[in-house]
Amino acid sequence: AKPWNFVMANFTPVSAAIGGALIGLSAVLLMLSTGRIAGICGIFSGLLNLQGEERGWRTAFVGGLVLAPVIAGWVGHGMAMPALPASWAVIAVGGLLVGFGARLGSGCTSGHGICGIARLSPRSIVATIVFMLTAILTVAITRHVL
């Protein structure tokens, strides 16, 4: 098989569409109820701010992100352990770089890609294009050059 010829394991378009619709609905409900954008980095950084307000909904949002897959596992939806492609040190440095980039870009992929594009924000559209091009370039280099 050629390196670019791969099979997507466990791709289920119906569950993907339902999940996407639920993410969109969640973003809309958060915007309507709090006036806030559902960007994970902004929500989580608000929890880290000791003098921060609105801790209740932020805690519930992040808690839901953590608890949803745990509950799904309890009710019988099996989840495979992710294969870690690198050492823990590389993963930690990568996580810090992603956090730095999200702060530098005034938002993360969820904030810009889901909510910003939905609001037709030019900054978010440009940021999402940059995210996607960077991801394509990274995969091309790591899969086909290195």
Side-chain angles (χ1 to χ4, degrees), residues 9-69:
N10 299 324
F11 176 65
T12 55
V14 173
S15 64
I18 292 169
L22 289 173
I23 290 170
L25 179 63
S26 299
V28 168
L29 289 175
L30 184 65
M31 178 65 85
L32 289 175
S33 64
T34 67
R36 298 294 191 173
I37 295 171
I40 306 306
C41 295
I43 293 169
F44 187 74
S45 68
L47 280 177
L48 300 178
N49 183 357
L50 297 177
Q51 283 80 29
E53 298 178 11
E54 305 175 323
R55 297 182 72 83
W57 72 265
R58 292 174 189 272
T59 302
F61 196 98
V62 173
L65 291 175
V66 174
L67 288 177

Side-chain angles (χ1 to χ4, degrees), residues 61-113:
F61 196 98
V62 173
L65 291 175
V66 174
L67 288 177
V70 172
I71 293 169
W74 286 343
V75 298
H77 295 283
M79 294 172 284
M81 283 297 291
L84 300 178
S87 70
W88 284 104
V90 170
I91 292 168
V93 169
L96 289 171
L97 288 173
V98 167
F100 176 74
R103 196 65 155 165
L104 185 66
S106 299
C108 57
T109 53
S110 61
H112 285 298

